[in-house]
Amino acid sequence: MSDPLTVMVPNEGALDAQLSRREELVLLKLFVPPYYYGDYLAFGAAGEPLGVLSPVAVSVLREAEERPARALVCGPGRDGPDPERVDALSELVMRGLVAPGASAPPLHEIAPDKGGGTRHTGRGADLFIRHFYRYFGDCFGDGSPLIDSHGDFLPVLEPYFPPPRPAAVCLDAGAGSGHYAAALARLGHHVYACDIDRARLEAVAARSAGAGTIQGLQCDLQDIPLPDGCVDFAMSVFVLEHVADPYAVTEELVRLLRPGGTLLLAVPSFNIRDTMAAWLHGELPTLNFEHLRSYGLVPRTHPWCEPLLDVSAHLRACGVEVTTVLGVNVLSDLWEPWASALAQIAAAHGPAFASTWPWNHLGRQTVFHGRKTP
């Protein structure tokens, strides 16, 4: 037996001990070629980060339930130990993730490419974003290069905000650091700022509300503690890619809208380059690892893909008249000579370019605007 396993189980009899997972774990499959391709970001049940686990280590974790060490280190069809599995099990034991025992706490895996559709409603997906923000919270402050938390997208959103008079009741679902909620408040509106993280809501409360007001609500976006039909305007900006069930969140926002109220959603999406590279060459784009999905026009162009057309259809099914689907930064990072050719098309269309088929579904970001029907 190799040295790592000898260190792990110092006597031969211990190889027959039953092993199991020591604690409840949440795993997110990473897709960041060439650095991670199938590895997993691991969190404990309390949200503490446990680092990155290899696919082999995750395979051992799946099987570590009332199984002896000897069985865990032998791969399928092997009489003797598999060196990779020996190393993986040794690491898991040394990190305290596997130990002798007769019962295994749950293992929550978030692997959207193997999930049904994009509704990852399991406890793992539900827990992940809470854990993620606890761990990476400092990255989401003002000026962070890792996320649009400092209001750069505001010029795109402002044309859809309610006018300053009369004052409206608004809701920002997943308010983050609060730049967009504060912009609504400065127009004189009352804004409910919703987020799962208390520290982020404290940052929202510190912002100037101008003539309006901001009221923070710490809650799950699938269960916002407000009555039906109580808001005039609801928005969610770069949030749906992070949640376990984006449709449940949009349904909750529609519930809160009064008849005639307006809805504004913004999501990251594949630009033309991403879509064509996947469609024609089988090249898959790298996405932020904290996303549980992204959005594109062509199904199956990425393992974590939610087609934009499905989002439009879902909004209509919820009773929202979709008035605008806008592709933003449509020509961003496009290959030549496509960039030059499409720039000419864009110039011919003028300002309407990004809102006409098919360009409205091919932006680097996509904005949906609609009105709840009576």
Side-chain angles (χ1 to χ4, degrees):
M1 197 62 70
S2 68
D3 287 340
L5 192 57
T6 303
V7 171
M8 180 189 73
V9 280
N11 60 76
E12 183 69 15
L15 291 175
D16 295 317
Q18 301 292 312
L19 295 180
S20 68
R21 294 183 295 275
R22 177 171 284 180
E23 64 173 302
E24 183 176 352
L25 299 174
V26 178
L27 305 178
L28 175 77
K29 187 174 183 181
L30 296 173
F31 187 80
V32 190
Y35 306 107
Y36 302 112
Y37 197 90
D39 288 354
Y40 290 76
L41 184 63
F43 291 90
E48 70 279 15
L50 302 174
V52 175
L53 299 179
S54 70
V56 174
V58 172
S59 178
V60 172
L61 278 172
R62 292 189 192 110
E63 301 169 20
E65 184 171 0
E66 301 183 10
R67 295 198 67 189
R70 193 186 306 277
L72 286 174
V73 298
C74 295
R78 294 179 63 106
D79 295 329
D82 180 330
E84 279 192 289
R85 293 177 73 87
V86 169
D87 290 343
L89 182 56
S90 177
E91 180 185 358
L92 292 171
V93 170
M94 288 187 289
R95 293 170 69 172
L97 301 182
V98 170
S103 63
L107 179 68
H108 304 294
E109 294 185 51
I110 309 166
D113 50 330
K114 296 181 181 177
T118 54
R119 297 191 183 208
H120 307 292
T121 55
R123 178 170 165 80
D126 225 21
L127 285 174
F128 171 74
I129 195 60
R130 301 169 190 270
H131 295 348
F132 176 85
Y133 281 128
R134 272 194 209 106
Y135 183 43
F136 292 100
D138 290 344
C139 298
F140 292 82
D142 290 349
S144 166
L146 301 181
I147 194 168
D148 180 39
S149 61
H150 48 289
D152 282 357
F153 211 63
L154 187 57
V156 176
L157 303 176
E158 280 183 313
Y160 303 99
F161 286 179
R165 294 183 179 82
V169 177
C170 303
L171 182 138
D172 184 1
S177 53
H179 284 279
Y180 304 129
L184 280 168
R186 288 194 295 269
L187 293 174
H189 304 309
H190 176 71
V191 184
Y192 291 107
C194 304
D195 206 277
I196 60 171
D197 186 71
R198 171 54 52 186
R200 304 186 86 197
L201 288 176
E202 290 172 356
V204 176
R207 299 206 176 278
S208 170
T213 56
I214 302 175
Q215 180 177 343
L217 292 175
Q218 185 177 12
C219 60
D220 189 311
L221 298 184
Q222 297 184 38
D223 187 18
I224 298 173
L226 292 172
D228 295 356
C230 66
V231 303
D232 303 295
F233 173 81
M235 71 176 180
S236 188
V237 181
F238 302 126
V239 172
L240 297 183
E241 64 272 20
H242 300 289
V243 300
D245 189 344
Y247 291 131
V249 173
T250 54
E251 289 163 8
E252 180 71 349
L253 299 185
V254 175
R255 177 187 73 81
L256 296 172
L257 280 174
R258 64 167 178 78
T262 54
L263 177 67
L264 182 63
L265 305 175
V267 296
S269 52
F270 306 143
N271 60 15
I272 301 174
R273 172 178 176 169
D274 291 333
T275 304
M276 296 302 288
W279 205 357
L280 300 179
H281 304 290
E283 296 178 5
L284 300 181
T286 298
L287 297 177
N288 293 338
F289 65 86
E290 80 276 14
H291 290 181
L292 299 184
R293 69 195 46 76
S294 191
Y295 296 82
L297 178 62
V298 182
R300 296 179 294 280
T301 50
H302 191 275
W304 300 3
C305 179
E306 168 91 68
L308 290 171
L309 296 176
D310 290 354
V311 179
S312 298
H314 176 73
L315 291 173
R316 293 187 178 96
C318 288
V320 174
E321 177 191 359
V322 179
T323 57
T324 302
V325 180
L326 175 69
V328 181
N329 296 324
V330 172
L331 302 180
S332 172
D333 297 327
L334 195 61
W335 286 322
E336 289 289 355
W338 294 353
S340 297
L342 289 174
Q344 294 179 18
I345 296 174
H349 279 80
F353 168 69
S355 59
T356 58
W357 176 264
W359 323 116
N360 58 328
H361 285 287
L362 290 172
R364 199 171 187 83
Q365 299 89 20
T366 300
V367 171
F368 296 90
H369 181 259
R371 187 177 304 277
K372 184 176 179 178
T373 55

